[in-house]
Amino acid sequence: MAKDGGIVGVSDHGGWAVLVTVGRDGTLLDRRRVDLVDQGLPKLPHHSEGQRLPLDQAVELVESVRVSSERHAALALDAVTRAVPQIRGIALRKCQPLPPTVAERIKDYRAQNVADWVMYRSSLASAAEARGWPVYWYDAKKVLGAASQALGIENLDDHFLRVRKTVGPPWDKDHKLAMAAAIVTAKGLVE
């Protein structure tokens, strides 16, 4: 366990996410895959199921998924806190801007393609803020290069291979992305 706490890096998907927590020195402290929505609820209500419903029903469906997502995000961060009691922040992928209402998001083609991802990230951000954790937003296209630079290494793949050999599977691209985001954030906090 790190004395100075950890940073949680997140790689999210439709209805689930990988959370990787690292210490300020970049050491792996915890990793887990978490569900972000109740079983039986759709994972992509803006993009998929909501498109087949009348608008008022689609809005209700999205609201049900959002409430479930907020509950699951809180549970996921509770579990991380039990494993690493002092969390110094969370790193999430940047969110794309969306129209202000759920109805507009469902009707707008571009918005319906990203609204579900934004909903899950927003749930995690709200759960983190409720715990007093700072939320850091990262660019998924730049974070791997930034992690190499933060660690002072040329080949991040070699670093991740050593981590995988140490911790074993699962260790995939989501774990790597989440760890890279946590490393960049953690190194940015070192004074």
Side-chain angles (χ1 to χ4, degrees), residues 54-78:
L55 187 58
D56 60 331
Q57 291 176 18
V59 170
E60 286 179 27
L61 178 64
V62 168
E63 179 62 13
S64 296
V65 173
R66 185 194 61 75
V67 168
S68 176
S69 174
E70 288 180 356
R71 186 175 61 257
H72 280 272
L75 292 170
L77 298 188
D78 286 347

Side-chain angles (χ1 to χ4, degrees), residues 77-96:
L77 298 188
D78 286 347
V80 170
T81 303
R82 285 190 297 277
V84 183
Q86 186 180 357
I87 298 296
R88 301 179 62 83
I90 189 169
L92 297 161
R93 283 187 231 203
K94 290 181 181 178
C95 293
Q96 299 88 339

